[in-house]
Amino acid sequence: MLPGLILAAAATRGLCGPSSLAARAPCPRRQLLSYVAFTAGRGAAPTPIHALVADVWQPVGHLAAGTPEAADGSVAALVRAATLQRRLIAEHACRLYPPLRTEK
């Protein structure tokens, strides 16, 4: 099992705040339903995600990856999933840790 994927504070800069609204924002509910399907239905192991907050790595959530047919816990699949969901992860980190909002 991976020790966890890490989202550095530098990656969250510019993603927190009202100026970061994009034309196509990821849907948190749809992503939650996909995560539950991968972890409960397809047996994917959740991988923890962390963000750097004031020089301390803080937990932000968990990530799972796969296809509609099966879970995929490979490092490559998890990195692709983290890359695709980077904005959603960063926005969630900003809600959990307000000091990230001021780091721009």
Side-chain angles (χ1 to χ4, degrees), residues 3 21 25 29 35-36 38-39 48 56 58 60 68 80 86:
L21 297 177
R29 178 167 170 71
Y35 173 78
V36 169
F38 282 127
T39 56
V56 178
Q58 299 290 345
V60 175
R80 278 192 309 272
R86 181 175 160 251

Side-chain angles (χ1 to χ4, degrees), residues 14-22 87 91 94 101 104:
L15 293 176
C16 300
S19 63
S20 65
L21 297 177
R87 180 169 178 235
E91 288 176 354
C94 290
R101 293 181 190 157
K104 290 186 180 179

Side-chain angles (χ1 to χ4, degrees), residues 3-5 7-10 13-14 16 18-19 21 24 31 35 49 54 66 71-72 76-78 91 101-102 104:
L5 294 175
L7 180 71
R13 289 190 182 121
C16 300
S19 63
L21 297 177
R24 288 185 50 188
Q31 297 306 322
Y35 173 78
I49 301 290
D72 185 357
L78 291 170
E91 288 176 354
R101 293 181 190 157
T102 60
K104 290 186 180 179

Side-chain angles (χ1 to χ4, degrees), residues 28-53:
R29 178 167 170 71
R30 187 184 64 187
Q31 297 306 322
L32 174 63
L33 294 175
S34 294
Y35 173 78
V36 169
F38 282 127
T39 56
R42 297 183 186 98
T47 302
I49 301 290
H50 295 80
L52 185 62
V53 181

